Amino acid sequence: MTMHQPRSDAPPPPARRHDDAGEGDAALPAVLGALAVFTSPGRLQDEHLAAAARDLLAAERFRTTTGLLTRRDPALSLDDAYRIQWTNVQRKLATGARIAGHKVGLTSLAMQQQIGVDQPDSGVLMDDMLLASGSNLYLGDLVMPRVEAEIAVRLSTDLQGPDIDAPTVRAAVGEVLLALEVIDTRYGEWRMTLQDSVADNAAAARAVLGPGRRLHPDLDLGSVEVCVRVDDDVVVSAPGSAVLGNPLNSVVWLLRQLARHGTGLRRGDLVLTGAVHASLPLRPGTVIEASSPQLPAVSIRAV
């Protein structure tokens, strides 16, 4: 899968004009893969939701901020937040991006306490979010970026259904790898509701991928200790069990979430299972590395 390296000195992509995100928006492509949700998730019937989707996409493209959606509408539902998220994913598909997989966020107690929520959420990973280990991360491309270390998996077979358990997920894992997820908020602040996070694509910004390895039968992902270094200084170390008891449980959660809308995961999908620690700030010139005894390290330089 091609990995892209956005540059801060490049101009932001031109904004596509979307005067309406309602039934007349013929520019939106057919729903693909895990976007096959609701009757027509990209065609919002409520202009308030359509406006929220446009505002978030513009903030991401032009590196500006927009106000928390729940301040505009305290009654915003979780389903409507996912409609906003998937609408903007569809718009990215219309400009040539492709779906690389999913992220599960807010899976550790540390992250839930940091943001101010009490349950996980999920977002969609696009191919232009992916970076190879050792890449430069251009902070000027983002608004308020932070970084977190995760255990990621790539599936070797399709999975769908609310009753799939962790052993079934394990059998479907083609490879496992360490990843650094760069999260970003288009709201200009990190304290928010679950609905705000979901609408903003669960804060997905970049995914830095380490080398993949086959999931050895004797490897318990819950026991994988992930050590995070910033400029060679160890800043945090935490086990995979910090993620819902085991990273595979995160994939189970995601499958149940997708099953609510009649869809699932596909062969080749990458799943970031969630941070094992609270996110860390990013500063120019620093190198962030995540390592473990069982999996190859992953690193990135912030510039």
Side-chain angles (χ1 to χ4, degrees):
M1 185 174 296
T2 301
M3 296 187 188
H4 301 264
Q5 187 164 303
R7 291 293 305 267
S8 60
D9 51 1
R16 291 172 55 88
R17 180 175 176 83
H18 291 277
D19 294 318
D20 191 328
E23 287 296 330
D25 194 348
L28 294 176
V31 176
L32 301 176
L35 298 182
V37 292
F38 303 109
T39 303
S40 51
R43 297 179 164 85
L44 302 187
Q45 304 301 313
D46 188 326
E47 174 56 27
H48 294 295
L49 299 183
R54 290 194 294 267
D55 289 348
L56 280 168
L57 189 58
E60 180 180 353
R61 283 175 168 167
F62 296 105
R63 302 186 290 277
T64 58
T65 61
T66 187
L68 291 170
L69 300 187
T70 53
R71 288 181 185 159
R72 305 186 203 177
D73 179 11
L76 183 73
S77 73
L78 197 56
D79 276 353
D80 281 340
Y82 276 108
R83 285 187 174 95
I84 291 169
Q85 178 191 123
W86 287 321
T87 293
N88 283 338
V89 170
Q90 285 186 317
R91 287 175 173 168
K92 292 176 182 180
L93 289 171
T95 63
R98 294 195 294 179
I99 299 166
H102 299 260
K103 64 154 290 183
V104 184
L106 307 175
T107 52
S108 69
L109 180 60
M111 278 303 300
Q112 290 178 6
Q113 291 175 338
Q114 186 176 59
I115 302 298
V117 302
D118 61 1
Q119 59 181 291
D121 65 0
S122 67
V124 180
L125 298 173
M126 311 305 290
D127 61 346
D128 58 2
M129 295 179 180
L130 304 186
L131 296 172
S133 180
S135 296
N136 288 334
L137 173 71
Y138 295 92
L139 300 183
D141 289 339
L142 305 168
V143 180
M144 292 183 65
R146 297 178 69 88
V147 66
E148 49 195 43
E150 311 196 8
I151 297 169
V153 299
R154 194 181 302 279
L155 298 185
S156 61
T157 188
D158 296 353
L159 286 178
Q160 182 169 343
D163 300 322
I164 291 179
D165 56 15
T168 304
V169 169
R170 184 184 179 95
V173 170
E175 63 178 10
V176 60
L177 57 148
L178 291 181
L180 291 170
E181 185 186 1
V182 178
I183 58 174
D184 199 15
T185 172
R186 272 61 72 161
Y187 299 119
E189 57 185 292
W190 279 110
R191 296 291 291 184
M192 65 190 71
T193 70
L194 187 66
Q195 290 89 331
D196 291 311
S197 176
V198 165
D200 195 23
N201 198 25
R206 303 286 186 269
V208 188
L209 308 181
R213 292 291 184 267
R214 183 178 67 88
L215 180 53
H216 192 275
D218 295 332
L219 178 59
D220 173 16
L221 294 184
S223 68
V224 171
E225 190 76 15
V226 181
C227 178
V228 182
R229 291 178 173 84
V230 176
D231 293 334
D232 294 326
D233 294 328
V234 176
V235 295
V236 66
S237 183
S241 59
V243 180
L244 301 182
N246 188 298
L248 296 176
N249 294 334
S250 179
V251 184
V252 171
W253 179 92
L254 177 62
L255 285 162
R256 290 173 180 170
Q257 164 67 18
L258 295 173
R260 292 180 57 239
H261 310 298
T263 188
L265 298 172
R266 288 186 165 187
R267 177 184 179 184
D269 274 353
L270 174 73
V271 180
L272 301 184
T273 63
V276 299
H277 61 94
S279 64
L280 303 170
L282 284 164
R283 298 182 179 87
T286 59
V287 175
I288 301 93
E289 180 191 71
S291 62
S292 80
Q294 300 94 337
L295 296 170
V298 59
S299 67
I300 194 165
R301 178 185 296 274
V303 297

